[in-house]
Amino acid sequence: MSDTTEPLILLRGERLSLGQPRREMLPHYHRWENDPGTILGYGNQFPQAWEVREKGWDGQRGNRNYQQFEILDGSEPVGMTILIVNTFVHNAEFVIVIAPEHRGKGYATDATRLTLDWAFHLGALRTVWLKVLEPNTVGVTAYEKAGFKQSGRLRQSGFWLGKPVDELLMDALPEDFVGPSAVG
């Protein structure tokens, strides 16, 4: 990708790294987020207009409680993770998107684990949580492999292929983070 600056690596894992998101990558992020598989996984019904995504960029980047990480395989961006931090209770909601062309390679588990590593060891968070649509068994499995545990459900609160489905609540605590940390 010769039209982009070199990524600023924040945390290196065994296979992937977390980097600082880059404005010039915004068209790629927008494409990933508007892929039909992403829209289905998020439970959205419609794509987001470019103008809306572009306008939201500065607000998100200027919000210290909205921490974004670019997922990198070497220097190639393959997705993003986000921690939406609640500083009052020291927890965060976790969100991930993997580029459609990079799905099925185990990146979601590795990137989730790296983001939890950051959240617990650098961000000093007590809990990280997420919502996932129950039929998204690939997502559920990736999250469980990274350390999340199912903690509840919101009945019929989402849509999968046009039908109401349950959303599973999952959370992770620092003690759920097993294995070596990439932090230190």
mmCIF file of all heavy atoms in Angstrom, residues 25-44:
data_model
loop_
_atom_site.group_PDB
_atom_site.id
_atom_site.type_symbol
_atom_site.label_atom_id
_atom_site.label_comp_id
_atom_site.label_asym_id
_atom_site.label_seq_id
_atom_site.Cartn_x
_atom_site.Cartn_y
_atom_site.Cartn_z
ATOM 1 N N MET A 25 -6.256 5.550 5.737
ATOM 2 C CA MET A 25 -6.855 4.217 5.649
ATOM 3 C C MET A 25 -8.384 4.265 5.761
ATOM 4 O O MET A 25 -9.046 3.242 5.607
ATOM 5 C CB MET A 25 -6.284 3.329 6.766
ATOM 6 C CG MET A 25 -4.857 2.895 6.535
ATOM 7 S SD MET A 25 -4.667 1.888 5.044
ATOM 8 C CE MET A 25 -5.738 0.522 5.427
ATOM 9 N N LEU A 26 -8.934 5.437 6.010
ATOM 10 C CA LEU A 26 -10.374 5.568 6.227
ATOM 11 C C LEU A 26 -11.212 4.952 5.103
ATOM 12 O O LEU A 26 -12.200 4.267 5.389
ATOM 13 C CB LEU A 26 -10.747 7.031 6.477
ATOM 14 C CG LEU A 26 -12.148 7.302 7.006
ATOM 15 C CD1 LEU A 26 -12.447 6.516 8.277
ATOM 16 C CD2 LEU A 26 -12.326 8.799 7.256
ATOM 17 N N PRO A 27 -10.872 5.125 3.825
ATOM 18 C CA PRO A 27 -11.657 4.453 2.780
ATOM 19 C C PRO A 27 -11.667 2.922 2.933
ATOM 20 O O PRO A 27 -12.673 2.269 2.659
ATOM 21 C CB PRO A 27 -10.980 4.873 1.474
ATOM 22 C CG PRO A 27 -10.322 6.179 1.808
ATOM 23 C CD PRO A 27 -9.868 6.032 3.243
ATOM 24 N N HIS A 28 -10.543 2.357 3.379
ATOM 25 C CA HIS A 28 -10.486 0.906 3.610
ATOM 26 C C HIS A 28 -11.354 0.522 4.796
ATOM 27 O O HIS A 28 -12.103 -0.453 4.716
ATOM 28 C CB HIS A 28 -9.039 0.460 3.838
ATOM 29 C CG HIS A 28 -8.151 0.686 2.669
ATOM 30 N ND1 HIS A 28 -8.096 -0.161 1.584
ATOM 31 C CD2 HIS A 28 -7.298 1.705 2.401
ATOM 32 C CE1 HIS A 28 -7.239 0.308 0.703
ATOM 33 N NE2 HIS A 28 -6.729 1.441 1.179
ATOM 34 N N TYR A 29 -11.257 1.273 5.908
ATOM 35 C CA TYR A 29 -12.091 0.988 7.076
ATOM 36 C C TYR A 29 -13.566 1.048 6.688
ATOM 37 O O TYR A 29 -14.368 0.202 7.095
ATOM 38 C CB TYR A 29 -11.835 1.986 8.212
ATOM 39 C CG TYR A 29 -10.410 2.125 8.690
ATOM 40 C CD1 TYR A 29 -9.997 3.297 9.315
ATOM 41 C CD2 TYR A 29 -9.465 1.114 8.543
ATOM 42 C CE1 TYR A 29 -8.705 3.461 9.779
ATOM 43 C CE2 TYR A 29 -8.164 1.270 8.994
ATOM 44 C CZ TYR A 29 -7.788 2.453 9.613
ATOM 45 O OH TYR A 29 -6.511 2.618 10.077
ATOM 46 N N HIS A 30 -13.929 2.072 5.909
ATOM 47 C CA HIS A 30 -15.316 2.249 5.477
ATOM 48 C C HIS A 30 -15.769 1.049 4.636
ATOM 49 O O HIS A 30 -16.881 0.535 4.818
ATOM 50 C CB HIS A 30 -15.439 3.562 4.684
ATOM 51 C CG HIS A 30 -16.820 3.866 4.251
ATOM 52 N ND1 HIS A 30 -17.226 3.736 2.946
ATOM 53 C CD2 HIS A 30 -17.897 4.297 4.945
ATOM 54 C CE1 HIS A 30 -18.500 4.071 2.846
ATOM 55 N NE2 HIS A 30 -18.930 4.418 4.047
ATOM 56 N N ARG A 31 -14.911 0.587 3.753
ATOM 57 C CA ARG A 31 -15.244 -0.594 2.933
ATOM 58 C C ARG A 31 -15.448 -1.822 3.809
ATOM 59 O O ARG A 31 -16.413 -2.565 3.641
ATOM 60 C CB ARG A 31 -14.134 -0.844 1.907
ATOM 61 C CG ARG A 31 -14.400 -2.074 1.027
ATOM 62 C CD ARG A 31 -13.280 -2.313 0.021
ATOM 63 N NE ARG A 31 -11.973 -2.517 0.617
ATOM 64 C CZ ARG A 31 -11.545 -3.671 1.124
ATOM 65 N NH1 ARG A 31 -12.331 -4.730 1.117
ATOM 66 N NH2 ARG A 31 -10.318 -3.767 1.621
ATOM 67 N N TRP A 32 -14.548 -2.039 4.786
ATOM 68 C CA TRP A 32 -14.687 -3.192 5.674
ATOM 69 C C TRP A 32 -16.003 -3.136 6.440
ATOM 70 O O TRP A 32 -16.687 -4.138 6.603
ATOM 71 C CB TRP A 32 -13.548 -3.244 6.686
ATOM 72 C CG TRP A 32 -12.160 -3.299 6.143
ATOM 73 C CD1 TRP A 32 -11.762 -3.624 4.858
ATOM 74 C CD2 TRP A 32 -10.968 -2.997 6.853
ATOM 75 N NE1 TRP A 32 -10.403 -3.546 4.751
ATOM 76 C CE2 TRP A 32 -9.874 -3.164 5.954
ATOM 77 C CE3 TRP A 32 -10.700 -2.606 8.159
ATOM 78 C CZ2 TRP A 32 -8.555 -2.967 6.339
ATOM 79 C CZ3 TRP A 32 -9.383 -2.402 8.537
ATOM 80 C CH2 TRP A 32 -8.323 -2.590 7.636
ATOM 81 N N GLU A 33 -16.318 -1.950 6.967
ATOM 82 C CA GLU A 33 -17.521 -1.784 7.794
ATOM 83 C C GLU A 33 -18.806 -1.923 6.987
ATOM 84 O O GLU A 33 -19.846 -2.235 7.558
ATOM 85 C CB GLU A 33 -17.486 -0.417 8.484
ATOM 86 C CG GLU A 33 -16.371 -0.297 9.485
ATOM 87 C CD GLU A 33 -16.002 1.129 9.857
ATOM 88 O OE1 GLU A 33 -16.488 2.082 9.194
ATOM 89 O OE2 GLU A 33 -15.208 1.293 10.795
ATOM 90 N N ASN A 34 -18.751 -1.700 5.681
ATOM 91 C CA ASN A 34 -19.937 -1.784 4.834
ATOM 92 C C ASN A 34 -20.028 -3.077 4.041
ATOM 93 O O ASN A 34 -20.925 -3.241 3.216
ATOM 94 C CB ASN A 34 -20.012 -0.569 3.904
ATOM 95 C CG ASN A 34 -20.475 0.648 4.667
ATOM 96 O OD1 ASN A 34 -21.591 0.689 5.155
ATOM 97 N ND2 ASN A 34 -19.604 1.632 4.791
ATOM 98 N N ASP A 35 -19.139 -3.996 4.283
ATOM 99 C CA ASP A 35 -19.220 -5.309 3.680
ATOM 100 C C ASP A 35 -20.477 -6.009 4.205
ATOM 101 O O ASP A 35 -20.797 -5.912 5.398
ATOM 102 C CB ASP A 35 -17.970 -6.116 4.062
ATOM 103 C CG ASP A 35 -18.057 -7.538 3.588
ATOM 104 O OD1 ASP A 35 -17.895 -7.769 2.376
ATOM 105 O OD2 ASP A 35 -18.323 -8.417 4.428
ATOM 106 N N PRO A 36 -21.227 -6.705 3.363
ATOM 107 C CA PRO A 36 -22.441 -7.374 3.837
ATOM 108 C C PRO A 36 -22.212 -8.316 5.022
ATOM 109 O O PRO A 36 -23.052 -8.399 5.926
ATOM 110 C CB PRO A 36 -22.930 -8.138 2.602
ATOM 111 C CG PRO A 36 -22.433 -7.324 1.452
ATOM 112 C CD PRO A 36 -21.087 -6.801 1.906
ATOM 113 N N GLY A 37 -21.076 -9.012 5.053
ATOM 114 C CA GLY A 37 -20.787 -9.886 6.201
ATOM 115 C C GLY A 37 -20.613 -9.106 7.489
ATOM 116 O O GLY A 37 -21.010 -9.563 8.562
ATOM 117 N N THR A 38 -20.009 -7.921 7.418
ATOM 118 C CA THR A 38 -19.857 -7.069 8.600
ATOM 119 C C THR A 38 -21.211 -6.530 9.031
ATOM 120 O O THR A 38 -21.537 -6.544 10.226
ATOM 121 C CB THR A 38 -18.892 -5.897 8.304
ATOM 122 O OG1 THR A 38 -17.652 -6.410 7.844
ATOM 123 C CG2 THR A 38 -18.662 -5.055 9.553
ATOM 124 N N ILE A 39 -21.995 -6.067 8.077
ATOM 125 C CA ILE A 39 -23.331 -5.538 8.399
ATOM 126 C C ILE A 39 -24.159 -6.625 9.068
ATOM 127 O O ILE A 39 -24.818 -6.381 10.080
ATOM 128 C CB ILE A 39 -24.004 -4.976 7.130
ATOM 129 C CG1 ILE A 39 -23.290 -3.684 6.710
ATOM 130 C CG2 ILE A 39 -25.498 -4.725 7.353
ATOM 131 C CD1 ILE A 39 -23.726 -3.122 5.382
ATOM 132 N N LEU A 40 -24.105 -7.850 8.546
ATOM 133 C CA LEU A 40 -24.823 -8.964 9.146
ATOM 134 C C LEU A 40 -24.325 -9.223 10.567
ATOM 135 O O LEU A 40 -25.113 -9.342 11.500
ATOM 136 C CB LEU A 40 -24.644 -10.227 8.293
ATOM 137 C CG LEU A 40 -25.263 -11.508 8.836
ATOM 138 C CD1 LEU A 40 -26.782 -11.398 8.901
ATOM 139 C CD2 LEU A 40 -24.854 -12.702 7.972
ATOM 140 N N GLY A 41 -23.002 -9.287 10.743
ATOM 141 C CA GLY A 41 -22.422 -9.585 12.054
ATOM 142 C C GLY A 41 -22.730 -8.533 13.097
ATOM 143 O O GLY A 41 -22.902 -8.832 14.276
ATOM 144 N N TYR A 42 -22.785 -7.266 12.685
ATOM 145 C CA TYR A 42 -23.108 -6.181 13.615
ATOM 146 C C TYR A 42 -24.604 -6.087 13.878
ATOM 147 O O TYR A 42 -25.023 -5.384 14.785
ATOM 148 C CB TYR A 42 -22.629 -4.833 13.078
ATOM 149 C CG TYR A 42 -21.147 -4.567 13.211
ATOM 150 C CD1 TYR A 42 -20.582 -3.495 12.554
ATOM 151 C CD2 TYR A 42 -20.312 -5.347 13.988
ATOM 152 C CE1 TYR A 42 -19.228 -3.203 12.657
ATOM 153 C CE2 TYR A 42 -18.964 -5.076 14.100
ATOM 154 C CZ TYR A 42 -18.427 -4.011 13.436
ATOM 155 O OH TYR A 42 -17.095 -3.733 13.549
ATOM 156 N N GLY A 43 -25.428 -6.744 13.044
ATOM 157 C CA GLY A 43 -26.866 -6.636 13.198
ATOM 158 C C GLY A 43 -27.421 -5.349 12.613
ATOM 159 O O GLY A 43 -28.550 -4.962 12.901
ATOM 160 N N ASN A 44 -26.609 -4.673 11.790
ATOM 161 C CA ASN A 44 -27.093 -3.474 11.098
ATOM 162 C C ASN A 44 -27.976 -3.912 9.936
ATOM 163 O O ASN A 44 -27.917 -5.060 9.496
ATOM 164 C CB ASN A 44 -25.924 -2.644 10.566
ATOM 165 C CG ASN A 44 -25.035 -2.120 11.670
ATOM 166 O OD1 ASN A 44 -25.434 -2.039 12.814
ATOM 167 N ND2 ASN A 44 -23.810 -1.788 11.322
#
